[in-house]
Amino acid sequence: MTPTGTIIEAALKELRQAVSGLENAVDVRFERQRESGEIESEVRRVHADRSKLAQELDQAEFRANRLEEVNREVSRRLVTAMETIRAVLDR
């Protein structure tokens, strides 16, 4: 092979290696983008779950507060009823 042919062969070899490296870099980039998309999707799901749980917690706190109010009212009425019964028995 002539020196020019050798130079061309070497240049073609380098070009093939560069193209191969570029293809690998593109593959890695696509994989990272896919993974990034999956992560973003998971983050959106977590935020949606968090919002739902926060709403459910607010509702549970409201119900608990309401039950506490009802409990106080029932207790007050029981005390009133017991006092009335005592007053009647004391007569």
Side-chain angles (χ1 to χ4, degrees), residues 76-87:
R76 186 190 64 74
R77 288 182 183 187
L78 283 172
V79 168
T80 302
M82 289 185 326
E83 289 172 354
T84 302
I85 291 171
R86 281 190 191 124

Side-chain angles (χ1 to χ4, degrees), residues 57-69:
L57 177 61
D58 289 344
Q59 290 172 349
E61 287 177 341
F62 175 79
R63 285 192 303 267
N65 290 336
R66 181 71 183 123
L67 285 172
E68 189 175 328
E69 291 171 13

Side-chain angles (χ1 to χ4, degrees), residues 4-90:
T4 305
T6 305
I7 293 172
I8 292 174
E9 285 297 321
L12 286 174
K13 182 179 178 183
E14 286 182 34
L15 180 60
R16 284 187 195 106
Q17 289 173 344
V19 169
S20 178
L22 180 61
E23 288 173 344
N24 290 337
V26 168
D27 289 343
V28 167
R29 175 75 185 256
F30 282 147
E31 181 64 23
R32 285 184 184 159
Q33 284 179 332
R34 185 186 63 77
E35 289 173 356
S36 175
E38 290 174 358
I39 290 170
E40 289 174 8
S41 179
E42 182 65 22
V43 167
R44 282 192 295 275
R45 281 192 297 270
V46 167
H47 282 296
D49 288 347
R50 184 203 164 278
S51 294
K52 181 182 175 188
L53 290 171
Q55 185 178 17
E56 289 175 0
L57 177 61
D58 289 344
Q59 290 172 349
E61 287 177 341
F62 175 79
R63 285 192 303 267
N65 290 336
R66 181 71 183 123
L67 285 172
E68 189 175 328
E69 291 171 13
V70 168
N71 186 34
R72 274 191 237 121
E73 178 62 19
V74 167
S75 181
R76 186 190 64 74
R77 288 182 183 187
L78 283 172
V79 168
T80 302
M82 289 185 326
E83 289 172 354
T84 302
I85 291 171
R86 281 190 191 124
V88 168
L89 291 175
D90 287 343

